[in-house]
């Protein structure tokens, strides 16, 4: 099967057209047109990318299998967990969000749950202290902010 | 001897206590990162950049630390090759051929010591080469005009895949994607491009978070998919029993490997993999029937190790003198320079001479530090190899989050980083290389600026881009870089593949 590259190639052509169209809509810079305006370089890129995309459609490489089924779900879990990390970092604080996220990742990657969360706790606390005291950078305390001194 | 004076000044910079400490720390962390399977030099440097940045280190200190990480990771790569038969990265592949058999014979410690000495010799030769070649190349590059620079950037892209690269068109796609991302934000003329009205995008996409996302986060996703590693039988390490005559025995191989590696590193597109490959094959040819390559010949460990370390220092030559990186890791180092507001290229040798020569001196000192670190302390690194990746990778991910967060203190960048990670995973599945994307992000603004200058000089005449002999030469070189992989690539790849298998047949 050589479907992946073909689909990707088509996507790239679509992207190139959208990007090139976007460039053609850019306003002329103040002071009139020059040899190279803000749209020249993007238009060049759009042309090159659409040609390369076309090549991938015509001359695709063999496919790598996509991880459907269980592994695919694991991957989605991992991505969701990472997005949650970004969301929770400030409200929940670094230590708790790290315990949650690193623990879940270790666990889903095959560690026993208790070991996973113990590792995560140690990692979170150590990095927090290292950053706070040794490197003088503050990470968000979140729900622990009542502990803040001064 | 102008160079010598600069170098002495450089030592003054490198030997400042703070720089020495961060250099040592970098060397240690680098060796660790290199030793752990799954984390190569580019990953390691990428993850540590945000940290170096958020610490607010002086430019030369940050650069010294990260070049030490780079050198350390090249040293460390051999540890898992020898003990686990898993190359930490591609250049370490050839070290497995004789390193693992030596470990199987109970000579793991000797193999590790030999590879440390050979790495040292390779790096030393290449650093001396760098000192000799870089100023000359920088002088030459001063004669480049905007058109030549534009063509030079094309050479960088075209040769980045290397002659062993698989599908050059995928490299073109990747380069375009990177360059396209680099056009986001407000351009030189003050026009907003592709910001979609999002305030955070006005300054464009920060390439550090792109790098960390593409390398570190995609690595995590890849590991989840493969769930490999961890189950390998580890070799135990005996006491070192290495005499001076053993070292003398491998010295010629190391020197030859180092010189070949340096040349491979300087040439665009060749890189460390080729350095270690030709180092090994040439050695096998020279020694001939008298050797027992593939069954644990020490010279088969020394030559490729010297080769890949030589190549990694060699790759700094085009990066420092032309601002054009020759490998993934040097691309990441280039990102560091740009974010420190230092424009790499020939002018750096005059404008930031203290930084350039400080780094070169630090590289020399780093080699000695690494040799000292690596012979007696190898046991510590071996112990750390037993950390299972299922704990390691989540922690590395956490460090990536911390690093990115502490640069800007906003979570907006973190979403971007995760998005780059997912994108990186998909692209890697499609075998689209990630390094050109980063290079595109880095070089995009410079490339556009040079195009603009060239066109201004010629009043909009496109032919200026190929109007000088030098520019034409560069265009031809770029063209060759794209075409050669189709012709030479398959042959070379087949040979690199057949080398390990012929070993099993007792060749």
């Amino acid at each position: 099967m050589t479907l992946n590259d073909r689909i990707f190639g088509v996507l790239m052509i679509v992207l190139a057209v959208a990007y090139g169209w976007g460039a053609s809509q850019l306003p002329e810079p103040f002071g009139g047109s020059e040899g190279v305006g803000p749209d020249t370089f993007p238009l060049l890129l759009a042309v090159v990318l659409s040609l390369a995309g076309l090549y991938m459609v015509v001359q695709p490489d063999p496919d790598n299998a996509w991880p459907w089924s269980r592994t695919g779900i694991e991957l989605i879990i991992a991505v969701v967990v990472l997005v949650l990390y970004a969301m929770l970092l400030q409200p929940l604080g670094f230590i708790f969000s790290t315990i949650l996220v690193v623990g879940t990742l270790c666990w889903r990657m095959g560690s026993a749950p208790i070991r996973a969360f113990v590792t995560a706790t140690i990692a979170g606390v150590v990095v927090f202290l290292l950053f706070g005291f040794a490197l003088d950078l503050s990470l968000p305390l979140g729900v622990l902010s009542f502990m803040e001194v001064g | 001897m102008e160079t010598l004076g600069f170098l002495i000044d450089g030592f003054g910079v490198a030997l400042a206590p703070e720089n020495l400490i961060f250099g040592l720390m970098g060397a240690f962390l680098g060796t660790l990162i290199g030793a752990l399977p799954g984390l190569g030099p580019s990953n390691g440097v990428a993850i540590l950049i945000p940290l170096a940045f958020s610490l607010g280190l002086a430019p030369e200190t940050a650069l010294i630390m990260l070049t030490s990480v780079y050198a350390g990771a090249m040293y460390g790569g051999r540890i898992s090759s020898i003990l686990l038969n898993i190359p930490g990265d591609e250049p370490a592949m050839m070290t497995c051929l004789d390193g693992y058999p030596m470990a199987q014979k109970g000579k793991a410690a000797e193999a590790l010591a030999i590879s440390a000495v050979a790495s040292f010799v390779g790096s030393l030769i290449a650093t001396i080469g760098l000192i000799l070649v870089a100023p000359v190349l920088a002088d030459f590059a001063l004669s480049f005009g905007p058109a030549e620079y534009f063509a030079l950037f094309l050479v960088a892209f075209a040769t980045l895949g290397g002659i062993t690269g698989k599908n050059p068109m995928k490299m073109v796609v990747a380069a375009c994607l990177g360059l396209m991302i680099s056009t986001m934000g407000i351009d030189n003329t003050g026009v907003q491009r592709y910001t979609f009205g999002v305030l955070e995008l006005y300054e464009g996409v920060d390439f550090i978070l792109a790098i960390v996302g593409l390398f570190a986060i995609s690595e995590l996703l890849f590991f989840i998919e493969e769930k490999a590693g961890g189950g390998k039988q580890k070799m135990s390490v005996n006491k070192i029993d290495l005499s001076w005559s053993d070292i003398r025995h491998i010295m010629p191989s190391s020197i030859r490997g180092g010189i070949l590696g340096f040349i491979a590193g300087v040439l665009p597109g060749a890189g460390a993999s080729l350095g270690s490959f030709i180092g090994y094959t040439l050695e096998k040819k020279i020694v001939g029937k008298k050797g027992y390559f593939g069954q644990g010949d020490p010279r088969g460990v020394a030559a490729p190790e010297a080769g890949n370390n030589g190549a990694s220092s060699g790759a700094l030559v085009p990066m420092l003198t032309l601002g054009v990186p020759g490998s993934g890791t040097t691309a990441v180092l280039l990102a560091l320079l740009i974010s420190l507001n230092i424009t790499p290229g020939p002018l750096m040798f005059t404008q930031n001479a203290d930084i350039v020569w400080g780094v070169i001196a630090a590289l020399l000192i780093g080699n000695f530090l690494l040799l000292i670190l690596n012979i007696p302390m190898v046991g510590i690194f071996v112990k750390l190899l037993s950390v299972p990746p299922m704990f390691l990778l989540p922690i590395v991910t956490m460090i990536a989050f911390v690093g990115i967060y502490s640069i800007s203190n906003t979570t907006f960048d973190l979403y971007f980083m995760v998005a780059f990670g997912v994108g990186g995973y998909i692209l890697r599945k499609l075998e689209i290389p990630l390094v050109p994307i980063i290079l595109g992000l880095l070089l995009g603004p410079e490339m556009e600026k040079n195009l603009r200058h060239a066109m201004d000089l010629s009043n909009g005449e496109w032919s200026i881009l190929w109007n000088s002999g030098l520019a034409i030469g560069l265009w031809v070189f770029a063209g060759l870089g794209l075409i050669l992989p189709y012709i030479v690539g398959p042959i070379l790849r087949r040979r690199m593949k057949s080398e390990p298998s012929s070993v099993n047949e007792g060749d």
Side-chain angles (χ1 to χ4, degrees):
Chain A
M1 286 290 280
T2 50
L3 209 58
N4 284 347
D5 277 9
R6 289 220 161 96
I7 295 172
F8 189 77
V10 172
L11 281 177
M12 285 300 109
I13 295 171
V14 172
L15 178 68
V17 170
Y19 180 84
W21 180 81
S24 70
Q25 300 297 307
L26 289 172
E28 286 227 330
F30 195 69
S33 66
E34 296 168 48
V36 176
D39 57 340
T40 314
F41 192 57
L43 283 174
L44 271 178
L45 290 177
V47 171
V48 175
L49 182 64
S50 47
L51 289 177
L54 195 66
Y55 180 88
M56 281 181 73
V57 174
V58 179
Q59 201 73 263
D61 287 342
D63 280 356
N64 279 318
W66 291 96
W68 304 116
S69 75
R70 273 200 55 198
T71 318
I73 294 168
E74 292 289 340
L75 279 172
I76 292 167
I77 292 175
V79 173
V80 169
V81 165
L82 292 177
V83 173
L84 279 177
Y85 199 7
M87 273 166 73
L88 295 176
L89 193 62
Q90 274 172 343
L92 202 59
F94 173 75
I95 295 185
F96 280 118
S97 50
T98 298
I99 293 173
L100 223 62
V101 167
V102 175
T104 313
L105 286 175
C106 292
W107 169 50
R108 292 316 307 164
M109 285 165 84
S111 151
I114 295 175
R115 275 190 77 185
F117 285 95
V118 169
T119 309
T121 311
I122 296 170
V125 172
V126 167
V127 168
F128 186 83
L129 293 178
L130 196 70
F131 260 65
F133 292 104
L135 306 180
D136 229 7
L137 292 162
S138 62
L139 289 167
L141 270 168
V143 288
L144 288 179
S145 54
F146 62 87
M147 284 166 60
E148 202 165 11
V149 197
Chain B
M1 280 309 282
E2 205 184 9
T3 309
L4 204 64
F6 279 128
L7 190 63
I8 290 167
D9 290 343
F11 271 105
V13 175
L15 286 171
E18 197 192 21
N19 294 341
L20 208 55
I21 290 169
F22 278 102
L24 190 64
M25 213 166 78
F28 181 80
L29 284 175
T31 314
L32 203 87
I33 289 166
L36 295 163
L39 290 178
S42 40
N43 266 314
V45 181
I47 295 162
L48 291 173
I49 276 191
L51 285 180
F53 209 55
S54 55
L55 282 174
L57 296 179
E60 63 274 13
T61 313
L63 205 55
I64 284 172
M65 181 176 113
L66 288 163
T67 30
S68 308
V69 172
Y70 178 35
M74 297 304 290
Y75 265 69
R78 76 203 204 283
I79 298 177
S80 61
S81 298
I82 291 171
L83 295 180
L84 306 174
N85 206 16
I86 310 172
D89 53 5
E90 205 190 324
M93 201 169 75
M94 306 308 287
T95 311
C96 291
L97 300 183
D98 280 278
Y100 188 64
M102 270 186 87
Q104 280 176 318
K105 286 186 198 162
K107 286 187 165 177
E110 282 81 0
L112 287 169
I114 284 168
S115 66
V117 173
S119 297
F120 172 77
V121 174
S123 294
L124 197 65
I125 290 173
T127 312
I128 294 168
L130 172 71
I131 292 167
L132 297 176
V133 173
V136 181
L137 197 60
D139 264 351
F140 173 64
L142 283 173
S143 62
F144 280 30
E148 283 79 12
Y149 263 106
F150 187 78
L152 180 70
F153 290 141
L154 292 180
V155 171
F157 284 117
T159 56
L160 199 62
I163 43 176
T164 56
K166 276 189 184 154
N167 186 343
M169 269 309 142
K170 292 193 166 173
M171 199 284 308
V172 175
V173 170
C176 281
L177 288 175
L179 289 168
M180 282 162 69
I181 301 169
S182 84
T183 60
M184 290 168 82
I186 296 176
D187 94 321
N188 292 4
T189 55
V191 176
Q192 273 186 42
R193 293 190 295 189
Y194 310 102
T195 57
F196 310 105
V198 180
L199 196 66
E200 278 89 347
L201 288 178
Y202 281 22
E203 290 200 5
V205 175
D206 187 348
F207 37 70
I208 293 185
L209 66 92
I211 288 172
V212 177
L214 286 173
F215 282 128
I217 307 290
S218 80
E219 188 67 44
L220 176 87
L221 297 176
F222 243 80
F223 178 80
I224 292 174
E225 187 189 337
E226 287 171 4
K227 281 235 173 86
K232 280 261 180 179
Q233 183 66 44
K234 197 177 66 186
M235 290 286 152
S236 57
V237 179
N238 55 308
K239 270 190 95 113
I240 301 181
D241 178 25
L242 201 68
S243 64
W244 279 110
S245 69
D246 290 332
I247 292 177
R248 259 206 309 279
H249 179 59
I250 57 144
M251 210 36 91
S253 314
S254 307
I255 292 171
R256 283 191 289 261
I259 294 171
L260 283 173
F262 174 71
I263 296 168
V266 174
L267 290 176
S273 311
L274 200 72
S276 62
F277 174 70
I278 51 176
Y280 186 86
T281 9
L282 183 83
E283 208 48 40
K284 210 169 144 183
K285 282 242 161 66
I286 289 178
V287 175
K289 289 258 185 291
K290 276 175 276 172
Y292 43 100
F293 283 89
Q295 293 152 41
D297 191 312
R299 287 164 295 190
V301 178
E305 269 308 307
N308 83 41
N309 285 277
S312 65
S313 301
L316 289 172
V317 173
M319 195 276 264
L320 290 173
T321 56
L322 304 172
V324 171
S327 68
T329 321
T330 44
V332 179
L333 286 173
L334 182 72
L336 177 77
L337 279 176
I338 295 176
S339 38
L340 292 168
N341 270 328
I342 301 165
T343 313
L347 288 177
M348 194 168 74
F349 276 76
T350 46
Q351 286 168 354
N352 303 91
D354 50 334
I355 292 181
V356 178
W357 290 100
V359 169
I360 293 174
L363 212 57
L364 275 173
I365 298 170
N367 278 321
F368 284 94
L369 291 179
L370 280 163
L371 187 68
I372 298 167
L373 267 180
N374 267 278
I375 295 214
M377 283 174 66
V378 80
I380 297 175
F381 297 117
V382 171
K383 280 223 176 60
L384 285 161
L385 267 183
S386 52
V387 178
M390 62 187 170
F391 294 115
L392 188 76
L393 281 169
I395 291 173
V396 168
T397 310
M398 172 191 69
I399 293 172
F401 268 76
V402 169
I404 294 296
Y405 179 81
S406 56
I407 292 179
S408 62
N409 282 315
T410 58
T411 40
F412 181 84
D413 288 357
L414 296 177
Y415 295 111
F416 242 108
M417 181 180 77
V418 175
F420 269 106
V422 175
Y425 168 80
I426 295 171
L427 293 172
R428 277 170 71 178
K429 286 295 278 189
L430 293 166
E431 289 178 338
I432 292 176
L434 300 181
V435 174
I437 300 183
I438 287 159
L439 202 63
L441 258 166
L442 293 174
L443 298 184
E446 278 295 305
M447 207 170 162
E448 187 171 11
K449 204 169 85 192
N450 280 296
L451 178 67
R452 188 166 279 154
H453 285 170
M455 300 300 275
D456 283 346
L457 285 177
S458 72
N459 288 320
E461 202 61 60
W462 285 92
S463 60
I464 188 168
L465 292 178
W466 42 88
N467 231 348
S468 75
L470 187 59
I472 293 173
L474 289 168
W475 279 90
V476 170
F477 207 75
L480 282 178
L482 277 182
I483 296 165
L484 275 180
Y486 283 113
I487 305 161
V488 188
I491 305 167
L492 223 90
R493 248 177 294 131
R494 211 175 312 135
R495 287 195 56 184
M496 281 172 98
K497 270 219 182 75
S498 71
E499 196 72 46
S501 64
S502 67
V503 166
N504 295 337
E505 293 152 20
D507 177 49

